[in-house]
Amino acid sequence: MGITVGELVTRKSYHHDLLFRVAEIRKEIAVLHGEEMRLEADAPIEDLIPAEGRDIEMRQEKEKEKEEYSFRLFRQDYQLMKEKRNYNATDGYLQDAQFFQLPAKVLHLDGDQTYLRKCISLYQRIGLQVHGIHLNEKEMPNEIASLVERIQPDIIVITGHDAYSKNKGMKNDLRAYRHSKYFAETVREARRMNPNLDQLVIFAGACQSHFESLIRAGANFASSPSRVNIHALDPVYIAAKIAYTPFMESVGVWDVLRNTLTGEKGMGGVETRGILRTGIPYLEEKEEE
């Protein structure tokens, strides 16, 4: 029985390094989507081996451990930020004042429906309000303006699948990348709506994306400086760090990257102000008599 769409496979020529899901089959070539990494690749059918149940379980367990470790790091970081915010908001007199916070609104565009579900689950776990939209990467430039106008987000995540192909050109040639061109066009369209890097924070990119073009287009953060694969959940941690940092504080690039699963080889960006605003007093809503 041959390879089928939706099946989990590994590649013999890459020593079974990553787990892929077969997205499409064109004659004898399979289009593959990374199961954990935001990578899209083509491979001959003959190069693929169906992943076995135990192998899938072991890989998924390993990934779950990595994800939980990253989440614990973020929670520790969040707790420290929260304590600092509480102290600063009340000048140290925590017992005498209650305050409220205006949460950031995130617009997350994703070229992969499965990744989008995983990301939304993590946003909810972290406590962020998110509008998740599944769009093919090529459609994103045409849709972003109306979405920004309708949702009025503070943070935009533009991601999905990407890949660099050395057969198509040098690493500085945007045409050698599967979807970087569309990510860059989407960023430019969003920046046309709001050119201020501190009023609208943008992350763009996926595995092996053309980092420089995304930053030049107006992204605050992007992938992938070293053209490496990035984890499916990394964009969420970047959005969360910005969302929970007070707007009076700048966030250093390393502070943003340290809780991601990929780190500085896969992510980079520019110093950016936080989004969170705190107010006093906190008034509980009372039912009208």
Side-chain angles (χ1 to χ4, degrees), residues 221 238 241 252-265 267-269:
F221 301 94
I238 287 183
K241 178 66 176 179
V253 177
W254 174 244
D255 286 336
V256 177
L257 303 183
R258 64 182 178 178
N259 292 333
T260 63
L261 289 132
T262 308
E264 74 276 14
K265 286 189 176 181
M267 306 280 198

Side-chain angles (χ1 to χ4, degrees), residues 26 31-33 38-42 110-112 135-141 158-165 168 173-188 204-210 213-214 223:
R26 303 168 185 161
V31 178
L32 306 175
H33 288 173
R38 289 187 171 275
L39 179 67
E40 183 172 311
D42 297 334
D110 209 312
D112 187 291
L135 275 176
N136 184 285
E137 290 85 352
K138 294 177 182 178
E139 298 170 359
M140 291 178 180
I158 301 161
T159 188
H161 295 284
D162 207 356
Y164 163 67
S165 175
K168 295 181 181 177
D173 186 351
L174 194 56
R175 292 170 298 183
Y177 295 80
R178 196 167 294 234
H179 290 140
S180 292
K181 170 188 169 187
Y182 304 109
F183 292 145
E185 288 176 5
T186 307
V187 173
R188 269 193 293 273
C207 281
Q208 303 174 15
S209 290
H210 193 287
S213 71
L214 300 178
S223 61

Side-chain angles (χ1 to χ4, degrees), residues 1-5 7-14 16-25 28-33 41-51:
M1 193 170 170
I3 299 292
T4 57
V5 171
E7 193 170 5
L8 291 172
V9 298
T10 59
R11 298 176 295 179
K12 290 184 276 189
S13 59
Y14 284 81
H16 312 285
D17 59 341
L18 296 174
L19 191 63
F20 288 91
R21 191 174 295 277
V22 179
E24 190 180 345
I25 295 177
E28 292 302 308
I29 300 296
V31 178
L32 306 175
H33 288 173
D42 297 334
I45 294 289
E46 62 192 25
D47 190 37
L48 304 178
I49 294 287

Side-chain angles (χ1 to χ4, degrees), residues 85-86 89-90 99-102 246-247 275-280:
R85 277 199 316 270
N86 292 357
T90 58
F99 54 89
F100 62 92
Q101 293 170 337
L102 300 178
F247 88 103
I275 295 288
L276 189 70
R277 290 176 182 265
T278 301
I280 292 176

Side-chain angles (χ1 to χ4, degrees), residues 77-88:
D77 197 25
Y78 170 74
Q79 204 57 41
L80 288 172
M81 287 192 293
K82 184 179 178 183
E83 289 170 10
K84 183 180 176 183
R85 277 199 316 270
N86 292 357
Y87 187 88
N88 290 341

Side-chain angles (χ1 to χ4, degrees), residues 8 14 21 31 33 53 56 85 91 94 114 118 122 125 135-136 151-152 171 174 188 200 217 222 236-237 242 257 283:
L8 291 172
Y14 284 81
R21 191 174 295 277
V31 178
H33 288 173
I56 294 171
R85 277 199 316 270
D91 291 327
L94 295 178
T114 303
K118 287 183 180 180
L122 183 57
R125 199 175 173 194
L135 275 176
N136 184 285
I151 295 168
Q152 297 290 306
K171 285 191 175 180
L174 194 56
R188 269 193 293 273
L200 178 63
V236 178
Y237 285 116
I242 297 298
L257 303 183
L283 300 175

